[in-house]
Structures are given as structure tokens and as C-alpha cells.
Amino acid sequence: MKRMAIYLALFVALIGACSSPGQPQANGEMEATVQRVVDGDTVELSTGEKVRLIGVDTPETVKPNHPVEPYGKEASDFSKQLLTGQKVTLKFDVEPYDKYKRLLAYMYLQDGTFVNEKLVRDGYARIMTIPPNVAYADLFLEAEREARENNRGLWGKSTQNPSMPSPSTEKPKQEVPGSDQAPPEGKPIKGNINAKGDKIYHVPGSASYEQTNAEMWFATEEEAKAAGFRAPKR
């Protein structure tokens, strides 16, 4: 028994020696320095790795073959001023990387500022929750509701982006709310929480799918139901 305990202790010590502290791993964390801001919700570290902030989505400014979206420049400039050159703590959820090999992280400044939440609460980002990385989904939802109620940033009454060209005399194309949201790969079902707090999911092709702004995305109806969402009543 004593010999077995010694072997076990040696094994644990070996595992500890072989592990790489500070490396990305599920539910772990690491220290880093932001070298540059790529977009409002994406940064590049001094190591060259890119980080996509979990749970938030700022208007696009650098997406190939995609126009700069309203309030995109403001969001990008805000992130640049807030993060460029800063030492930060990255905390990971269930998945440390996305399919593009970018780190997926919650980011904190040295003064404790939770960057992901701040972007949403100050109106620079919408929430975009993609299971299984949902640790702060409720916090982000509350932050977005506060931003909406106070008309902050992209939720302001005037959505005209001063960096965009002035409107032409041509009749503008009518936009359908939610129609410009691209679902994450393999997760086409939209989850939305209405003003009454009802959690409702919408599958592609359903009556309200195009008009629905997704606050969470799901791969299957079973996954949506497991998260507490229900199908529309009609």
C-alpha cells in the first residue's frame, strides 16, 4: 500500500511537471498583453494569437466583402482605446478555441474591468451566446437590456453612422430586424428572450425566424429545450 502511494505521488508530480501552466485550457486562465485591436470584439496578443471575446458581437468593420456596419467604427475605436497595449487576464469557458483557431475568452483589465460585459453594457456590442460557452449568458443579457433601455451606443434612437456615406435619393431597401445575423456553423436555431422573460426558440423557415434577433444559438431543438427555451405557441 505504501509503495502504491509513492507511485501515485510520483505520477501526480510528473503530470504537474509536464503540464504547461498559463496555457489555454477549458475553464482555465492566462495572462497576456494586447498588441492590437483587429475589430471591436477581436484582438491580437503580443504572441501573435488572436482572441475572440466570448458572448459579444460588435458591428463589423473588417469582414471581407462586407460593408462597415452602423456603429462599427465607434465600437472598434472604443476597443482600441480601451485595450491596445494593455496587460489583461484571459479566462476560458468550455472551448478555449474556435474553428478559426482563435482563442475564445472573457477578458479582464488589471483594474478588474470585465471587457466583454462593458462592451455590451455601454452599447458597443450585442450579445451572441453560443453553447457550450455560456458562463455569463445571464449577465450579458441583463447588460444588453440596460443598454437598450438607456439608448446607449448602437441602441440609440439615431442609428446613422457618421462614418458612412450620406443617404442617396434612391429609396432605401427596407431591412428586416435579425435578417443580417449569420448563424454560427452547425447552430442555426435562434433563441430569443422576449420582454416578458419568455425563452423562445425559432427554427429556420419558421414564421418569425428572419425577424428574430438571436440572443443564443442552438444546434438542435433538444439543445434549446435543455437550456430552458420553448417553441413558439403559433
Side-chain angles (χ1 to χ4, degrees), residues 122-200:
D122 288 358
Y124 291 101
R126 300 179 178 87
I127 62 173
M128 186 175 72
T129 303
I130 304 175
N133 304 308
V134 298
Y136 294 101
D138 290 342
L139 176 64
F140 295 157
L141 179 61
E142 183 273 325
E144 183 178 279
R145 284 178 174 168
E146 181 184 313
R148 282 181 175 181
E149 291 170 359
N150 290 279
N151 297 317
R152 293 179 188 151
L154 58 84
W155 304 111
K157 294 180 180 179
S158 173
T159 58
Q160 177 65 36
N161 184 349
S163 67
M164 298 291 286
S166 300
S168 64
T169 56
E170 182 182 354
K171 184 178 180 180
K173 179 181 178 182
Q174 184 176 4
E175 294 186 0
V176 178
S179 62
D180 62 343
Q181 288 186 299
E185 185 176 359
K187 295 180 181 290
I189 298 176
K190 293 181 176 181
N192 178 268
I193 304 176
N194 65 23
K196 296 180 180 179
D198 297 327
K199 296 182 176 181
I200 303 171

Side-chain angles (χ1 to χ4, degrees), residues 13 16 42 47 49 51 54 63 85 101 110-111 113 123 127 133 149 156 159-160 163 165 182 192 208 216:
T42 306
T47 59
E49 284 193 285
V51 178
I54 297 174
K63 186 176 182 179
K101 305 302 180 184
Q110 289 186 302
D111 65 3
T113 298
I127 62 173
N133 304 308
E149 291 170 359
T159 58
Q160 177 65 36
S163 67
N192 178 268
S208 300
M216 296 186 73

Side-chain angles (χ1 to χ4, degrees), residues 11 14 56 65 85 131 176:
F11 178 75
L14 180 61
V56 306
N65 304 315
V176 178

Side-chain angles (χ1 to χ4, degrees), residues 3 9 31 38 56 81-82 99-100 105 125 159 173 184 188 194 196 230:
R3 180 176 296 178
E31 304 301 313
V38 178
V56 306
Q81 294 175 9
L82 184 69
K99 65 178 181 178
Y100 303 109
T159 58
K173 179 181 178 182
N194 65 23
K196 296 180 180 179
R230 64 167 174 80

